[in-house]
Amino acid sequence: MQSLLDAFAWITNPTVVLRELMAGAADGMLLFLVASGLSLIFGVTRVINFAHGAFFMLGAYFAYMIVGSGVNSSVNFPVMLLAATLGTFVIGLTFEVCVLRRIYRSAQAFQLLVTFGLVLICGDAVRLIWGSSDNSVTLPPSLEGFVRVFNVNFPVYRLFLIAVGVTIYAGLWALLYRSRWGVLVRAASADRDMLRALGIDVGHIFSAVFALGSALAGLAGGLAAPIVSVGPGLHAEVLTNALVIVAIGGLGSFSGSFAGALLVGEANAFGTLAFPQMAIVVPFLIMTLVLIARPRGLLGRPE
Amino acid sequence: MNRSWAPLLLLPIAIVAGPLLVSDFWIFVIIQIMVYALYAVAFNLLLGYGGMLPFGFATFFGLGAYALAVLQVRIGVAVPIAVLAAPFVAATFGGLIAYFCIRLSGIYFGMLTFAFQMLAYTFFLKSYYFAGGDSGLHGIVIPGVLGQPIGLYYLTLCVVSVGIALLWRIVNSPFGLALRSQSNNPRKSLAIGINVALHRWLAFTIAAFFAGLSGALYALANQSVFPDWLDWRSSAAPIVMTILGGMHTFAGPIIGAAIFVLLQTVLTGVTQYWALFMGILIIAIVTLLPKGIASLFGRRDA
């Protein structure tokens, strides 16, 4: 009992709570970028993209390719994010057009296998090109350091990540709910056969959504590059986290992936604080319980 | 369905006499093929016959392997008893997990099996005292002739043969027919009085049992177990084998297992980037030969 109390002793310390809250939110924003793409792709194409973590990893490597191990600069930083986003956009688009589009009508196992094949290819391709070692990318000077708020030192980059995450959430929301293209995407998600019958080119929507989802994962990888080790194993944990998020939030639910990402980000942050050894279990425990109680997720709609 | 058995008639002779003619390296390759064959056939009870695609099937392979290793290394149970006990451990957890999973269908079924797999994976990854943590559990002691490659080969051959024969009986029993029926049309099956939930639960538990048995044999062959065996990437292996060989024949997964292991053996011998070629091959087979494989499963699409 005493040890359990010790595990939660930090609760009385507002500095620690605020710091972890912010760390969890920043981590959650990166996860949101990955999970929203995964969820969007599933919503429209009904394919679970197991290569989504690989796109995140490729984004981080593209950022590393631009910046290298040297000093980052305020000019290089946006260029590396652009490279991460555009690079994965092109790869995602190519994969959809050349491979995935052939098997939308096939069994689920086939769709799972091609995305898994892409995981194998990406994992070895980065080893072939950049080697097996872990690389690090530095932050530009303008995003280094801390800001002091409420007597707590917040890393500037975490605040930056939260700002970027919220901006992209707002942008995607506007795209999905306030543009004609968004109407088509949501219609394709609800009933693609009806949309096709209405004379809409559904194939283009599928390609665009897959490329957009890939680019979101790539952007997340680029944003994460300065705070993670850029290595060939980077994709696995991101994918499992993203799967947890879409399961919690509801597959295909856009707001669900935002809420789920924040929940998982905070669960990781505070879980590590309370149970450093077993924190890794917490997200999977939440996922299991949610799927048992509400298989469609907390914010998913029944099919 | 039976026509795919024809070329297999020559195999028994080669299988029984084979290990006397080849090196230890190839004995272990063939052991791996046999173990994976049992694993893939058990998996196909779910995919091909039951119409269920678990994303986390490696859970039960890993549970069987860890059950054997923990019983042998930590408690000192004799290997033959541990091999017999391991599948029951896997089936117990299989039955529990199945209770929750079989109520879901499609993607949601797959996701829940994935969630349970990650729970099992992180458990073994973090339990250092019990299961060796991230470095796994080593030093499984196999006494006497069974510890020799030849002895291990014949042990594996016997256990796998019995396992596959039992699965053959199961899929051709009334239970197997009902299982296929609920896969093709769950509503109609309910209407004619098939207890769909019970059949799905039984199929899941039986598959977990034989996956656990194959995991235990694999642990014996390696004399070690690793938490990676329960990783999500490991769960792709039975899917790859089953699709390579064909999921609508009983022998398909066996052939798929042989192709998978031989490919992996040859590729790892040639290049350290074997996964790259495996990935390209998987994508090529699935997309470029849609008629070749797809013609067998046209109805599953709905």
Side-chain angles (χ1 to χ4, degrees):
Chain A
M1 192 62 209
Q2 189 56 45
S3 64
L4 197 64
L5 282 177
D6 286 346
F8 286 98
W10 45 266
I11 279 183
T12 52
N13 186 342
T15 312
V16 175
V17 171
L18 262 177
R19 192 192 66 212
E20 292 303 318
L21 212 57
M22 196 61 90
D27 192 32
M29 285 304 120
L30 286 178
L31 290 174
F32 160 68
L33 294 185
V34 182
S36 62
L38 185 67
S39 183
L40 204 59
I41 289 171
F42 174 80
V44 172
T45 66
R46 301 280 129 183
V47 173
I48 296 264
N49 178 24
F50 276 81
H52 217 65
F55 289 142
F56 175 91
M57 177 181 70
L58 288 178
Y61 268 103
F62 290 145
Y64 171 71
M65 189 174 72
I66 297 292
V67 180
S69 315
V71 180
N72 206 337
S73 71
S74 300
V75 180
N76 266 350
F77 185 73
V79 176
M80 85 177 201
L81 292 186
L82 201 65
T85 314
L86 286 182
T88 47
F89 183 91
V90 170
I91 289 172
L93 189 64
T94 312
F95 179 69
E96 200 278 342
V97 170
C98 297
V99 177
L100 206 56
R101 104 168 6 174
R102 296 162 180 268
I103 54 163
Y104 283 132
R105 295 268 166 202
S106 299
Q108 200 195 345
F110 281 53
Q111 297 162 352
L112 193 154
L113 271 193
V114 293
T115 63
F116 182 73
L118 189 60
V119 173
L120 294 181
I121 293 172
C122 290
D124 262 8
V126 298
R127 286 204 299 142
L128 197 64
I129 300 170
W130 289 286
S132 297
S133 54
D134 284 343
N135 308 289
S136 57
V137 174
T138 53
L139 278 171
S142 51
L143 289 171
E144 279 178 339
F146 297 87
V147 190
R148 205 167 168 78
V149 194
F150 303 121
N151 269 345
V152 186
N153 283 325
F154 290 121
V156 174
Y157 197 59
R158 278 187 187 157
L159 296 173
F160 173 77
L161 287 179
I162 293 171
V164 170
V166 172
T167 310
I168 288 180
Y169 174 75
L172 279 176
W173 186 86
L175 183 68
L176 284 172
Y177 293 93
R178 287 291 178 270
S179 77
R180 180 181 149 72
W181 189 76
V183 171
L184 292 178
V185 168
R186 284 183 293 129
S189 174
D191 191 340
R192 54 178 155 180
D193 292 326
M194 177 56 81
L195 197 62
R196 194 177 281 122
L198 290 169
I200 306 290
D201 186 348
V202 179
H204 276 114
I205 295 176
F206 278 36
S207 305
V209 163
F210 195 88
L212 174 67
S214 311
L216 284 168
L219 173 62
L223 285 166
I227 52 173
V228 296
S229 298
V230 182
L234 189 56
H235 65 101
E237 197 189 328
V238 175
L239 176 79
T240 50
N241 270 322
L243 285 173
V244 169
I245 290 165
V246 295
I248 291 173
L251 275 161
S253 161
F254 175 65
S255 318
S257 58
F258 189 76
L262 273 179
L263 185 67
V264 169
E266 299 295 353
N268 281 335
F270 286 100
T272 313
L273 208 57
F275 314 103
Q277 274 305 302
M278 295 313 277
I280 186 175
V281 182
V282 174
F284 302 119
L285 207 57
I286 302 175
M287 177 186 187
T288 310
L289 295 176
V290 167
L291 278 173
I292 289 172
R294 280 181 68 102
R296 299 292 181 265
L298 295 178
L299 296 176
R301 53 170 193 273
E303 280 178 30
Chain B
M1 175 151 291
N2 284 319
R3 94 201 113 95
S4 54
W5 278 90
L8 288 178
L9 289 174
L10 281 174
L11 267 176
I13 307 158
I15 286 173
V16 173
L20 304 169
L21 307 171
V22 299
S23 66
D24 284 0
F25 174 80
W26 284 100
I27 289 182
F28 278 109
V29 171
I30 306 169
I31 287 177
Q32 203 181 346
I33 291 177
M34 294 191 294
V35 169
Y36 276 179
L38 177 61
Y39 185 27
V41 171
F43 174 78
N44 201 37
L45 184 67
L46 287 184
L47 180 63
Y49 292 91
M52 293 174 260
L53 175 61
F55 298 168
F57 194 62
T59 316
F60 308 110
F61 185 85
L63 277 171
Y66 266 100
L68 177 116
V70 169
L71 283 173
Q72 212 289 309
V73 178
R74 289 277 188 260
I75 308 176
V77 174
V79 162
I81 298 170
V83 170
L84 287 177
F88 287 97
V89 174
T92 306
F93 283 98
L96 260 170
I97 292 172
Y99 172 78
F100 295 106
C101 294
I102 53 140
R103 292 178 294 174
L104 309 183
S105 58
I107 292 278
Y108 300 95
F109 168 85
M111 292 286 272
L112 189 52
T113 64
F114 169 86
F116 278 113
Q117 160 178 270
M118 292 312 290
L119 283 179
Y121 168 67
T122 46
F123 171 77
F124 287 116
L125 192 68
K126 290 292 174 188
S127 57
Y128 286 90
Y129 296 106
F130 175 65
D134 51 8
S135 57
L137 208 51
H138 312 282
I140 296 169
V141 180
I142 313 169
V145 71
L146 289 182
Q148 305 294 318
I150 292 275
L152 198 60
Y153 177 91
Y154 285 114
L155 173 74
T156 310
L157 178 63
C158 291
V159 176
V160 167
S161 305
V162 171
I164 289 181
L166 284 173
L167 280 161
W168 169 251
R169 286 291 300 274
I170 289 168
V171 301
N172 288 298
S173 67
F175 166 78
L177 285 173
L179 185 66
R180 256 174 285 180
S181 146
Q182 68 80 29
S183 160
N184 290 332
N185 194 334
R187 263 202 211 159
K188 196 182 273 179
S189 306
L190 263 179
I192 59 171
I194 293 171
N195 187 339
V196 170
L198 179 67
H199 279 75
R200 285 163 65 92
W201 182 83
L202 267 175
F204 197 111
T205 309
I206 293 168
F209 179 91
F210 287 105
L213 184 58
S214 56
L217 291 172
Y218 199 61
L220 274 189
N222 285 280
Q223 298 192 321
S224 310
V225 291
F226 301 94
D228 282 3
W229 293 1
L230 291 99
D231 188 14
W232 60 271
R233 281 162 288 192
S234 302
S235 284
I239 309 178
V240 174
M241 293 185 278
T242 303
I243 298 298
L244 279 182
M247 66 181 184
H248 283 277
T249 55
F250 183 80
I254 301 174
I255 297 163
I259 299 172
F260 181 79
V261 174
L262 288 175
L263 260 177
Q264 196 168 333
T265 308
V266 171
L267 284 177
T268 43
V270 179
T271 167
Q272 58 163 321
Y273 300 108
W274 68 270
L276 181 71
F277 293 96
M278 193 64 114
I280 293 171
L281 206 75
I282 289 171
I283 292 180
I285 287 173
V286 171
T287 52
L288 297 180
L289 302 170
K291 288 295 164 204
I293 310 172
S295 52
L296 293 167
F297 67 96
R299 277 184 306 168
R300 190 154 307 279
D301 214 5

